[in-house]
Amino acid sequence: MESSPGPSAEARQDPVPPTPPAVPSTSAATPSPRGGVQCIPQRAALLKSMLNFLKKAIQDPAFSDGIRHVMDGSLPTSLKHIISNAEYYGPSLFLLATEVVTVFVFQEPSLLSSLQDNGLTDVMLHALLIKDVPATREVLGSLPNVFSALCLNARGLQSFVQCQPFERLFKVLLSPDYLPAMRRRRSSDPLGDTASNLGSAVDELMRHQPTLKTDATTAIIKLLEEICSLGRDPKYICQKPSMQKADGTAAAPPPRSPHAAEEASSEDEEEEEVQAMQSFGAAQQSEAEPSQTVVGTEERIPIPLMDYILNVMKFVESILSNNTTDDHCQEFVAQRGLRPLVTILGLPNLPVDFPTSAACQAVAGVCKSILTLSHEPKVLQEGLVQLEAVLSALEPLHRPIEAPGGSVLLRELAGAGAVPDATLSAQATPLLHALTAAHAFIMMFVHTCRVGQSEIRAISVNQWGSQLGLSVLGKLSQLYCSLVWESTVLLSLCTPNSLPPGCEFGQADMQKLVPKEEKTAPSPPQGGRRAEGEAEGPGPAGGVGSDPPPAQGLLEGMGLEGEPLAPMETDEPSASDPKAKAKITPAMAARIKQIKPLLSASSRLGRALAELFGLLVKLCVGSPVRQRRSHHAAAAAPAPTAAARATASALTRLLTKGLSWQPPPYTPTPRFRLTFFICSVGFTSPMLFDERKFPYHLMLQKFLCSGGHNALFETFNWALSMGGKVPVGEGLEHPDLPDGTGEFLDAWLMLVEKMVNPSTVLESPHALPAKAPPHGHPPFSALRFLVVTQKAAFACIKQLWQRRPLKVYGGRMAESMLAILCHILRAEPLLRERLGREREGPAPDEPGGDEGGARREPHVNQQQLQQLMDMGFSREHAMEALLNTNTMEQATEYLLTHPPPLMGGSARDLSMSEEDQMMRAIAMSLGQDIPMEQRAESPEEAACRKEEEERRARERQEEEEAKCLEKFEGAEPLEAAELGAFTDSMLPGCSQLLDELPDTVYRVCDLLMTAVRRNGPAYRDSVLKQVVQQVWSPEPSLNLP
C-alpha cells in the first residue's frame, strides 16, 4: 500500500533538536501529510495498543522502578513523530501520544527537564499551539491537562507563555472546522459538551498556575471582542444554527446506533470521528468558494454566529463558575470584560429570533453567574447603559405616522429595498433589529432578577431604583405601550372585516408588500385574513364565548401569566366566519407571511417586558410574611427601601399611562382603544395582586398616588358612554355599542372584584409595616383604599344593574357584578368597626408634635439600639434600621445591605489625597481657605453627589405621594341609607338576571342571603313575599286557568 512507507521513513529520521520550537524537519520528509494518505488501520491499531500499554504502565506502581527510564531511549523520538504528524497518524494516536507524555510528567515531575532537553515538549507546544489541533472532542478536552503537565517547572511555564497560548487555543471556539466536535455529545460522557468541559479544564489550569490567570482572562475578553466584531461587520450574516431549538433549549444530540453507548472499546468511535473530521474538512474546502448569500442587493458571508456565541458562553461560564469562589469573576470585571459580554446581546447581525434561542440564554447565564458569585452591580449597570442606548434608537417607534395612519414597523418593512430579505438586514429594518436587541437585554434582566438570594435581590432593586434604572424603566414603559399599539394595528390588518369599508388605514403599506408578479391580481377587502392560523394556535379563551382569531397566539399574554383573561382576545363574530377564509388570495397570503415576523417580534417582546415588570414588582415588595398558626404574632415585613419605592412608582406610572392612553386622532375605530385598554387591564391585575389574589400594598399605594386608581374608573365611564357620545347608563343597551366593549367590561369587572374583596385586601401577607414612614408622611391604609375603591365600584355597578346582558360576555359580567355587590355588603360592618378603632387607637400616641423622630423614639427597643451601636453602627443608622424592621436579625441585615451615604465634607475629606489635605491644612493655618469647588471632582465625590441627587428626587416624589394619601385619610364608607335603598330595590334586577342567565342562580342566592344578614328578618320576610307573589302570579304565555 502507498501508505506503508510512511512510518518506516519516519522511523529512520534523526531526532528533532530541542530548539528552536519549529516544525520538525522530519515532517518535511514525510509524504503522508502532503498526499493526504493516512496510516493503515492495522498499524494504527498496533500503535494504539502499545501506547495504551505505556500509559497504563507508567501509572502502575509495579512498574515504577523500570518506567523511569522509558524516555531515555527512542520513545521520545517516536512520540515526536506521532505528535508532529497528526494528519498522518490521526487524532486518536495524537491524543494517546500526548497523554503518554502527560502521564509520565505527572508521574515523574523531576524528569520534565530531560524531556525539555530532547525537544519533546517543544514539539508538543508547536503541534498544539502553532499548528491546527485535530478537531475531535477528546483532543480539545485534553489540552489544558497537557498544558498543566508542561508547565510544572519554570522553564516549561516560560516556554508556554512565550507561545501566547490562550489566544491561539481559544480560537478553536470561533472556527467552523471545530463545530462538529463542539456539537458532538458522546453517551460515555454525561458531563456535558466540549465547550463546557474545555472551560472546566482551563479553570483547573488557571488555578494550578495562578500567574496565567491574567493572560487567560485577557484572551477570553479578546475572544468576546472578536465575536462582537463578527456581529457588527456588515459583510457577514448569521446562518441558521443546526443544533438548537426555537424554544431556547439546547437540542438533543444526534441519534446514535445502540452499540455506541458501550464503552468496551473506543476504536470504532474514534475511527468514526476521524472519518467525520475528514468529511467535514472536505466539505469545508469544497464550500469555501461559493459561501456568499445575497441579501437584498448585498452579498454577505454566512457564519454560524449563534453557534459561536453558544460555545463561547458555555466555555466562559465553566471558567467563571466552576468553583464557588469569585476570583475569576473579579479578574474578568477588573479587565473590563463586562462591556463586550453584554454587547453580544445587541449585535446587529443576529437574527430576529435570537432572544428565544439557547445562545441568548447562555449569555444571560454568564451574566447571572458573575452577579451571583461576585455580587458585582456593574453587571446590571452595563446592561442598563446599553439597553438605554437601544431604547433611544427606538424613539421613531413612539411617533405615530401621518394620516391615514398605520404601523410604524410595517412602514419600515414596506420601505425597504428588498422586501423578502429585509428582516435579515439591520440596515434595511433598523427598528425591527433594535426590538430584537431590546428583547435580548430584557431576557438577560429577567434571568438575573430571578434569584432568591437577598443580597442579589437588594443589588437588583438598587440598580433599578437608581437614576439610570428609573430612566430605563420610563423608556420601557413607553416601549410597552407602543408594542401594544403596533400589535393591535398589525393584527387588525391581518383580520378580515376589522376596519370600516373603504378605510385607507395602513393599506398603502400593505399594497407595497405584494410581489410584483401578483400586483395585477384583485385584492380582497381590507384586512385580508388572520395572521398565520396554520402556524400559530389560538390563545386560551378562558371561558370566552366566541372563538379568538388564530393570531391571538402571537399576542396572547401581553399581561402576565396565570391570568384567565387573554388581553388580546376579540369577540367579533366575523373573525371566526369560515367564509372569510375563502376570500384569501395569494397576494394576501404573501402579505401576512411578511407581516408575521413583525407581529411575532412585537408580541414576544411584550410578553418578556410583562415578565420583567412582574419580577421587579416581586423584588420591590419582598418575600411575603408567612402566616404561622401559633400564639406568637407574625412579624411584619421590613419597610421597602427607597430604591424599591422609586421602582414601584415607576411601574405604577406605566399602569396609569396604559389606563389613560389616547390613540392617534386618525384611529378608524374605537376597537383599537378598547383592545389597548383590555391589554392594560389584564396587565394591571398581576402587577397589583399575587397568584392567590392577595394585593401588594406597596403597589396599591403607588397605584393610588400615581392616578391609576382614578384612570381605572374613568376608563370604565369612557367605554360605557361610547367615548362620551351617550349617557353612561344607556351605553350597555345601545345598538351601536362598539365591538370589544363586552370583553373590556368583563376584564375590568374581574380586576375590580379583586380590589374590593375585604378578606384579601385587609389580610394580605404583602402588607406594609404599621410604623410611620420617614419624614412624618402618613402611612398607607389598606382600609382607606378599600373604602375609596368600594365607593367607586358601587357607582359603576349601578350603571350596569338592571340592564340587558350582552350576548357573549353577559354571563361572566353578571358573575363579577354579583360578587362585587356581595363584597361591598359584607365589608360594611367590618369597615365601620375598623374605622372606629382607627380613630380611637392613635390617640395615646398623638403627643409628640409633627417631628417624626421624636414620635418614633419611644417605639425603638433601647437594648437593641445599644447592641447595634456596640457593633460600630452610628445611632442614626441603627435607629433607621430598627424603624424599618421588626427583629434584630432584620435590623442587622438592613444595616449591612444599606450603608449610610457619605455626606458633605466628610466624603470630600476622605476622597482627598494626603498631599491635598496637607496643602489645605497649610492654607487654613495661614488664615486662608481653599474652596472645594476649585478642585477637580473625584470619582468618589461624583458618586456621592449623584447619590445625594437621587435621594432628593425621591424625597420630592414621596412628598407628592404623601399629599395624595392625605386626601384619602378622611374618606368615609358608603352610607348605610344608600346601601339600604339599593338592597330594597334590587330584587327585580336579580329576577331579570335569572330570566336572562339561569346559570347565575347561585350567585343571586348568595347576594340575597348577604342582604338578608345585613337587613334582618323584616327584609327577609319582604323578599320572600315578593318571591311568592311572583311565583303565584299567572304567566300569560302559560295559558293557565
Side-chain angles (χ1 to χ4, degrees):
M1 297 179 64
E2 59 177 352
S3 61
S4 57
S8 59
E10 292 175 349
R12 291 191 297 268
Q13 298 299 326
D14 295 331
V16 180
T19 56
V23 180
S25 57
T26 57
S27 62
T30 303
S32 54
R34 297 180 181 178
V37 295
Q38 295 182 351
C39 182
I40 59 177
Q42 294 85 349
R43 181 173 297 169
L46 178 62
L47 290 174
K48 285 181 185 179
S49 301
M50 297 169 63
L51 292 176
N52 272 317
F53 170 78
L54 282 174
K55 188 173 82 168
K56 295 179 180 179
I58 291 173
Q59 304 176 71
D60 194 337
F63 296 94
S64 58
D65 295 334
I67 209 67
R68 290 175 54 88
H69 308 287
V70 72
M71 291 293 181
D72 295 341
S74 60
L75 179 60
T77 303
S78 302
L79 292 176
K80 284 191 287 187
H81 285 295
I82 294 176
I83 293 172
S84 60
N85 293 292
E87 302 88 348
Y88 175 77
Y89 289 101
S92 299
L93 284 175
F94 176 86
L95 176 63
L96 280 173
T98 56
E99 286 181 343
V100 167
V101 178
T102 302
V103 169
F104 180 80
V105 171
F106 282 135
Q107 192 72 21
E108 302 290 343
S110 60
L111 299 181
L112 174 60
S113 57
S114 64
L115 301 183
Q116 294 169 340
D117 292 337
N118 62 32
L120 178 57
T121 58
D122 292 329
V123 172
M124 292 179 65
L125 288 175
H126 184 273
L128 296 174
L129 298 177
I130 308 301
K131 298 176 64 177
D132 291 334
V133 181
T136 65
R137 185 176 189 277
E138 291 76 10
V139 172
L140 294 178
S142 68
L143 292 182
N145 198 31
V146 175
F147 293 146
S148 297
L150 300 181
C151 296
L152 284 183
N153 59 17
R155 177 181 172 184
L157 181 61
Q158 182 180 4
S159 301
F160 180 73
V161 173
Q162 286 178 351
C163 294
Q164 297 181 348
F166 294 111
E167 292 186 24
R168 302 175 187 273
L169 172 63
F170 295 168
K171 283 184 178 179
V172 301
L173 297 169
L174 298 183
S175 172
D177 298 336
Y178 294 90
L179 280 181
M182 295 293 174
R183 293 172 182 153
R184 183 175 294 114
R185 297 182 179 181
R186 292 179 55 174
S187 57
S188 60
D189 186 7
L191 298 180
D193 51 17
T194 307
S196 298
N197 294 338
L198 182 61
S200 300
V202 171
D203 170 70
E204 293 297 328
L205 174 63
M206 294 166 64
R207 296 188 183 279
H208 291 158
Q209 300 292 340
T211 56
L212 300 178
K213 182 169 65 174
T214 301
D215 294 339
T217 306
T218 303
I220 291 173
I221 296 174
K222 288 185 178 180
L223 185 68
L224 299 177
E225 292 174 346
E226 189 168 351
I227 289 181
C228 294
S229 64
L230 291 175
R232 293 194 191 101
D233 197 333
K235 70 180 180 182
Y236 294 118
I237 185 173
C238 180
Q239 68 185 28
K240 186 176 181 180
S242 57
M243 294 294 294
Q244 195 169 342
K245 291 183 180 179
D247 59 355
T249 57
R256 303 177 60 87
S257 57
H259 69 275
E262 301 178 0
E263 255 186 70
S265 177
S266 61
E267 282 99 353
D268 294 338
E269 286 189 2
E270 289 170 351
E271 292 299 333
E272 291 175 4
E273 292 177 2
V274 172
Q275 296 174 3
M277 183 191 68
Q278 293 172 347
S279 61
F280 180 77
Q284 290 291 326
Q285 293 177 359
S286 63
E287 296 177 1
E289 298 299 329
S291 61
Q292 292 187 342
T293 302
V294 178
V295 179
T297 58
E298 302 175 356
E299 291 186 354
R300 304 174 67 181
I301 302 174
I303 56 174
L305 183 59
M306 292 176 67
D307 286 329
Y308 290 163
I309 293 175
L310 181 62
N311 291 328
V312 170
M313 289 303 110
K314 289 182 177 180
F315 171 73
V316 173
E317 185 172 14
S318 295
I319 293 177
L320 298 180
S321 62
N322 195 35
N323 289 276
T324 57
T325 58
D326 64 341
D327 50 345
H328 292 347
C329 295
Q330 294 290 354
E331 180 70 23
F332 183 80
V333 174
Q335 295 196 30
R336 300 181 180 180
L338 287 176
R339 176 166 296 180
L341 172 64
V342 179
T343 302
I344 293 176
L345 295 170
L347 295 178
N349 287 346
L350 291 171
V352 293
D353 60 346
F354 169 72
T356 59
S357 66
C360 182
Q361 290 189 4
V363 178
V366 174
C367 295
K368 184 175 182 179
S369 297
I370 297 175
L371 178 64
T372 305
L373 290 175
S374 65
H375 294 186
E376 182 56 66
K378 292 181 180 178
V379 178
L380 301 177
Q381 291 176 3
E382 186 64 36
L384 289 173
V385 168
Q386 297 196 25
L387 177 57
E388 188 177 35
V390 173
L391 295 176
S392 299
L394 285 170
E395 288 294 331
L397 186 67
H398 313 318
R399 295 193 292 267
I401 58 180
E402 65 278 358
S407 166
V408 179
L409 292 175
L410 180 60
R411 174 68 57 88
E412 178 186 76
L413 181 64
V419 174
D421 300 324
T423 57
L424 302 178
S425 173
Q427 290 76 21
T429 53
L431 287 180
L432 180 61
H433 282 75
L435 286 179
T436 301
H439 191 182
F441 282 107
I442 297 302
M443 295 303 295
M444 186 269 289
F445 282 117
V446 166
H447 209 57
T448 53
C449 287
R450 197 181 285 117
V451 293
Q453 303 177 28
S454 58
E455 294 184 14
I456 305 300
R457 293 167 69 96
I459 291 174
S460 299
V461 171
N462 290 335
Q463 291 304 314
W464 283 103
S466 64
Q467 281 187 335
L468 175 61
L470 294 177
S471 173
V472 171
L473 269 181
K475 293 181 179 180
L476 288 178
S477 301
Q478 190 176 17
L479 174 62
Y480 185 82
C481 293
S482 299
L483 289 174
V484 177
W485 167 253
E486 286 289 318
S487 301
T488 303
V489 172
L490 291 172
L491 180 60
S492 69
L493 294 175
C494 297
T495 305
N497 306 321
S498 61
L499 297 178
C503 178
E504 295 297 327
F505 183 82
Q507 294 306 306
D509 296 329
M510 290 286 288
Q511 292 297 328
K512 293 180 182 178
L513 299 182
V514 183
K516 294 181 179 179
E517 60 273 12
E518 296 181 357
K519 281 192 175 181
T520 57
S523 61
Q526 71 78 33
R529 67 156 181 153
R530 309 189 208 163
E532 293 296 306
E534 66 279 4
E536 297 289 337
V544 181
S546 62
D547 296 331
Q552 172 61 30
L554 297 174
L555 294 168
E556 173 199 351
M558 293 290 276
L560 297 182
E561 298 178 357
E563 290 299 304
L565 172 69
M568 301 300 291
E569 294 169 358
T570 64
D571 54 1
E572 301 173 13
S574 59
S576 57
D577 185 6
K579 296 181 180 179
K581 297 183 179 180
K583 302 177 182 178
I584 299 174
T585 64
M588 179 54 65
R591 290 192 192 105
I592 295 178
K593 184 178 181 180
Q594 296 179 49
I595 290 178
K596 182 185 175 182
L598 310 181
L599 195 56
S600 300
S602 58
S603 59
R604 283 200 302 258
L605 179 53
R607 291 194 293 270
L609 280 173
E611 184 178 6
L612 174 63
F613 293 150
L615 288 173
L616 290 179
V617 167
K618 294 181 179 179
L619 288 179
C620 296
V621 174
S623 302
V625 177
R626 295 182 180 179
Q627 304 293 338
R628 301 184 182 274
R629 294 182 178 179
S630 65
H631 61 278
H632 298 288
T641 62
R645 295 195 300 268
T647 305
S649 298
L651 293 173
T652 51
R653 282 196 294 270
L654 163 63
L655 302 181
T656 305
K657 185 177 181 180
L659 293 171
S660 57
W661 178 78
Q662 293 283 348
Y666 51 73
T667 303
T669 171
R671 170 69 186 176
F672 284 7
R673 190 176 183 186
L674 285 169
T675 303
F676 195 100
F677 284 157
I678 292 167
C679 183
S680 298
V681 170
F683 176 64
T684 300
S685 181
M687 293 283 282
L688 300 181
F689 298 87
D690 65 6
E691 295 79 6
R692 297 182 300 160
K693 299 183 180 181
F694 284 108
Y696 305 111
H697 281 189
L698 175 63
M699 298 302 295
L700 290 185
Q701 174 187 356
K702 301 297 182 181
F703 185 68
L704 188 65
C705 297
S706 65
H709 190 273
N710 293 334
L712 179 66
F713 290 95
E714 290 174 0
T715 303
F716 172 86
N717 293 329
W718 175 87
L720 208 57
S721 65
M722 299 171 55
K725 297 179 181 178
V726 298
V728 178
E730 301 177 4
L732 195 63
E733 297 179 341
H734 199 279
D736 297 329
L737 190 69
D739 292 332
T741 305
E743 183 181 1
F744 164 75
L745 293 175
D746 176 48
W748 188 92
L749 288 169
M750 286 170 43
L751 173 60
V752 172
E753 180 187 351
K754 296 179 183 179
M755 298 173 69
V756 300
N757 189 339
S759 60
T760 56
V761 172
L762 298 179
E763 305 298 333
S764 174
H766 310 286
L768 293 173
K771 298 177 182 178
H775 311 294
H777 296 164
F780 172 72
S781 173
L783 200 62
R784 301 289 181 181
F785 177 85
L786 190 62
V787 167
V788 173
T789 306
Q790 287 195 354
K791 290 180 70 174
F794 185 69
C796 295
I797 293 299
K798 289 196 297 185
Q799 304 296 335
L800 301 175
W801 192 251
Q802 287 188 317
R803 301 293 191 276
R804 186 178 66 252
L806 298 177
K807 293 182 179 179
V808 178
Y809 291 94
R812 293 191 356 176
M813 289 174 57
E815 296 276 345
S816 299
M817 286 192 298
L818 294 170
I820 291 173
L821 290 174
C822 287
H823 289 320
I824 293 175
L825 294 178
R826 289 169 181 166
E828 183 188 12
L830 179 63
L831 293 179
R832 296 194 181 280
E833 177 188 356
R834 294 207 178 188
L835 286 174
R837 277 189 294 168
E838 187 179 274
R839 295 188 186 98
E840 299 173 359
D845 297 334
E846 285 301 327
D850 296 333
E851 294 296 325
R855 185 179 39 161
R856 292 193 301 267
E857 182 81 20
H859 296 286
V860 175
N861 188 316
Q862 297 298 321
Q863 183 179 1
Q864 293 180 350
L865 177 62
Q866 187 61 41
Q867 290 179 4
L868 294 176
M869 293 174 61
D870 293 342
M871 294 179 188
F873 300 106
S874 64
R875 180 180 180 83
E876 293 77 11
H877 197 198
M879 182 78 70
E880 178 188 354
L882 291 174
L883 287 172
N884 286 283
T885 56
N886 296 277
T887 64
M888 190 66 178
E889 292 77 10
Q890 291 178 354
T892 306
E893 183 178 359
Y894 183 94
L895 290 168
L896 295 175
T897 56
H898 299 82
L902 294 175
M903 300 298 297
S906 60
R908 293 194 294 265
D909 293 340
L910 289 175
S911 62
M912 293 176 64
S913 63
E914 293 183 3
E915 183 179 356
D916 291 338
Q917 295 182 17
M918 180 65 69
M919 294 298 295
R920 185 182 181 194
I922 294 174
M924 293 178 64
S925 65
L926 298 176
Q928 301 175 1
D929 193 8
I930 300 177
M932 299 305 297
E933 291 76 8
Q934 295 180 2
R935 188 169 51 84
E937 189 178 40
S938 65
E940 292 82 1
E941 291 175 338
C944 180
R945 178 178 53 81
K946 184 178 180 181
E947 184 176 355
E948 178 67 14
E949 292 176 356
E950 293 179 2
R951 185 183 64 82
R952 291 177 181 174
R954 289 169 181 167
E955 288 181 358
R956 288 194 298 267
Q957 180 179 353
E958 289 176 356
E959 289 177 359
E960 295 177 359
E961 293 178 356
K963 295 178 182 178
C964 179
L965 289 177
E966 290 175 357
K967 299 178 182 178
F968 299 101
E969 283 189 343
E972 294 294 334
L974 286 166
E975 295 290 339
E978 186 177 3
L979 285 177
F982 178 80
T983 54
D984 291 341
S985 60
M986 73 178 184
L987 189 59
C990 295
S991 301
Q992 181 180 358
L993 284 177
L994 292 176
D995 292 338
E996 299 281 349
L997 303 167
D999 292 339
T1000 60
V1001 59
Y1002 297 106
R1003 284 286 189 181
V1004 170
C1005 292
D1006 192 14
L1007 176 60
L1008 291 175
M1009 291 301 299
T1010 305
V1012 166
R1013 294 191 193 99
R1014 176 191 182 274
N1015 297 338
Y1019 178 79
R1020 177 197 60 196
D1021 297 339
S1022 174
V1023 170
L1024 289 176
K1025 288 179 182 179
Q1026 296 181 52
V1027 172
V1028 171
Q1029 184 178 2
Q1030 290 184 14
V1031 171
W1032 282 102
S1033 60
E1035 176 62 32
S1037 60
L1038 296 179
N1039 297 322
L1040 295 176

